[in-house]
Amino acid sequence: MGIFSYFRSKKATAQVAKNRLQIIVAHERAQNSGYDFLPKLRQEILLVVQKYVHVELEHINVDVNRDGDCEVLEFNVTLPDSKS
Amino acid sequence: MGKIIVVTSGKGGVGKTTSSASLATGLARRGFQTAVLDFDVGLRNLDLIMGCERRVVYDFVNVIQGDATLNQALIRDKRVENLYILPASQTKDKEALHQDGVAKVLEELSSRFEFIICDSPAGIEHGALMAMHFADEAIVVTNPEVSSVRDSDRILGLLQSKTVKAKNGEVVKEHLLLTRYDPERVQRGDMLSVEDVQEILAIPLLGVIPESKAVLTASNSGEPVILDEVSDAGQAYDDAVSRLLGEDVPQRFIKPVKKGFFSRLLGG
């Protein structure tokens, strides 16, 4: 840190890097959870749900979330508008 | 039974080979029978870093294909006792490093050696997966930089899903080795700190290797940098070897070196 750099206002970029990493890493961990069967599981759930309600594959979300030492397998099925 | 340790990173150029060479040399210097293996078929470099490139006759793939015995292919280090190098093939197809062949070579090695260091190629393709497949422990080499940290996280996911240990419901023991660390830039807020990287990757810290001119001069002359005992990087690797052996050694190179008044004034 020379005398000149005191006059230059510089933003600390390490914090920006850390924030960006935390977001992307959390996102990618959810996607690459190590369970190769997730896409197939999603397909099969679709078939079961379709017996009762008409939904598309995009309405079904399967995620693995880590909560401390615990892994949570989470399903989300968005049902279509009942009136349509 | 020897311990199989993979040195891996995902991203290229972060210091896997430099680290493999130095850690293996450090272990051998402490009296452990150590073998260091190059898994980078087609782009072998461990031989250059170890300074034995002119002594390569047979390689890893020759052993797998039965063209040479393990004894014929292993190169004995001339400086350090107990240290052997198994070079990668420069010509063969990458797929030649198939799982059964690698398993057989590692099995034979682990009956003779106490430590087997596997220098992984970059990427997450076949070679990298083979290097980690049979590992008991993993050293994840990371630079304090966004793309390297992200790739390391990806590798950590593979270590806990694609390896033999993972498939048997066990855990590959992970270590973080942070290389090319510049404490001054960290202090200025220009570089991710050790704590930042640890917070994101959440694995135990094996060591911090400072950015050092000694690394290039060491590779120029084919001497693992750990043998340069006066250099900061050499000492940092030696500390990392101690920690790998379970000793509790404080981190020495994570604070900026105190400068004199004039050099600070002039920004030197």
Side-chain angles (χ1 to χ4, degrees), chain B residues 39-76:
Chain B
F39 275 78
D40 205 346
V41 173
L43 292 169
R44 83 166 166 231
N45 276 320
L46 182 66
D47 54 341
L48 271 178
I49 301 300
M50 293 295 296
C52 64
E53 71 278 7
R54 307 270 312 262
R55 296 166 61 209
V56 176
V57 182
Y58 294 112
D59 58 54
F60 203 158
V61 174
N62 290 140
V63 178
I64 287 181
Q65 294 180 337
D67 302 330
T69 64
L70 195 51
N71 271 328
Q72 288 175 307
L74 283 173
I75 302 170
R76 198 173 69 86

Side-chain angles (χ1 to χ4, degrees), chain B residues 226-240:
Chain B
I226 197 169
L227 294 175
D228 184 354
E229 286 164 20
V230 292
S231 71
D232 46 0
Q235 292 173 16
Y237 273 117
D238 202 58
D239 287 356

Side-chain angles (χ1 to χ4, degrees), chain A residues 1-4 6 10-15 17-18 20-22 24-26 28-29 32-36, chain B residues 145-146 149-150 153-154 157 161-162 188-193 196 199-202 259 264-267:
Chain A
M1 281 226 274
I3 198 163
F4 304 109
Y6 285 109
K10 219 193 291 173
K11 203 178 156 219
T13 51
Q15 190 58 45
K18 188 181 174 187
R20 289 174 61 214
L21 270 169
Q22 279 173 326
I24 190 70
V25 161
E28 286 179 339
R29 273 182 199 164
N32 303 305
S33 56
Y35 298 110
D36 305 345
Chain B
E145 176 270 325
V146 284
V149 176
R150 178 201 213 171
D153 190 72
R154 192 71 207 286
S161 64
K162 302 281 181 203
R188 265 181 271 154
D190 287 347
M191 184 181 266
L192 290 164
S193 68
D196 291 340
E199 194 183 322
I200 293 161
L201 296 179
K259 281 186 183 170
R264 246 191 298 172
L265 187 70
L266 300 169

Side-chain angles (χ1 to χ4, degrees), chain B residues 5-262:
Chain B
I5 304 177
V6 61
V7 177
T8 184
S9 70
K11 190 175 184 300
V14 296
K16 282 182 295 300
T17 302
T18 300
S19 299
S20 299
S22 277
L23 295 172
T25 304
L27 287 166
R29 261 209 316 193
R30 292 177 192 220
F32 294 98
Q33 289 287 329
T34 308
V36 56
L37 281 55
D38 192 347
F39 275 78
D40 205 346
V41 173
L43 292 169
R44 83 166 166 231
N45 276 320
L46 182 66
D47 54 341
L48 271 178
I49 301 300
M50 293 295 296
C52 64
E53 71 278 7
R54 307 270 312 262
R55 296 166 61 209
V56 176
V57 182
Y58 294 112
D59 58 54
F60 203 158
V61 174
N62 290 140
V63 178
I64 287 181
Q65 294 180 337
D67 302 330
T69 64
L70 195 51
N71 271 328
Q72 288 175 307
L74 283 173
I75 302 170
R76 198 173 69 86
D77 191 86
K78 284 191 169 162
R79 296 155 299 219
V80 183
E81 242 184 293
N82 312 318
L83 180 60
Y84 290 81
I85 301 114
L86 182 60
S89 172
Q90 189 69 313
T91 51
K92 298 280 173 31
D93 187 37
K94 268 187 276 193
E95 308 300 313
L97 223 57
H98 57 80
Q99 197 169 307
D100 296 344
V102 174
K104 242 179 95 188
V105 171
L106 286 177
E107 203 174 311
E108 199 178 334
L109 285 169
S110 78
S111 66
R112 270 182 59 187
F113 291 95
E114 291 166 284
F115 285 99
I116 299 140
I117 309 294
C118 303
D119 181 22
S120 172
I124 50 173
E125 304 301 315
H126 184 75
L129 294 178
M130 275 303 106
M132 71 167 69
H133 196 74
F134 300 96
D136 299 308
E137 299 189 17
I139 295 171
V140 179
V141 184
T142 308
N143 288 168
E145 176 270 325
V146 284
S147 53
S148 173
V149 176
R150 178 201 213 171
D151 290 359
S152 293
D153 190 72
R154 192 71 207 286
I155 283 290
L156 289 171
L158 295 174
L159 281 166
Q160 302 310 349
S161 64
K162 302 281 181 203
T163 52
V164 172
K165 281 225 149 182
K167 284 170 187 167
N168 291 338
E170 295 171 79
V171 195
V172 177
K173 191 174 174 193
E174 301 158 330
H175 307 272
L176 173 64
L177 186 64
L178 199 56
T179 55
R180 308 201 68 164
Y181 196 72
D182 186 339
E184 285 178 21
R185 301 199 71 182
V186 172
Q187 197 177 50
R188 265 181 271 154
D190 287 347
M191 184 181 266
L192 290 164
S193 68
V194 196
E195 294 80 16
D196 291 340
V197 179
Q198 263 195 292
E199 194 183 322
I200 293 161
L201 296 179
I203 58 170
L205 183 66
L206 181 69
V208 178
I209 313 298
E211 173 79 58
S212 168
K213 288 179 178 160
V215 173
L216 181 62
T217 50
S219 81
N220 284 343
S221 47
E223 294 249 327
V225 70
I226 197 169
L227 294 175
D228 184 354
E229 286 164 20
V230 292
S231 71
D232 46 0
Q235 292 173 16
Y237 273 117
D238 202 58
D239 287 356
V241 171
S242 299
R243 289 188 204 102
L244 196 60
L245 294 168
E247 293 167 42
D248 191 12
V249 184
Q251 299 290 343
R252 288 195 278 171
F253 304 98
I254 54 176
K255 294 255 153 60
V257 184
K258 290 215 166 57
K259 281 186 183 170
F261 173 73
F262 281 107

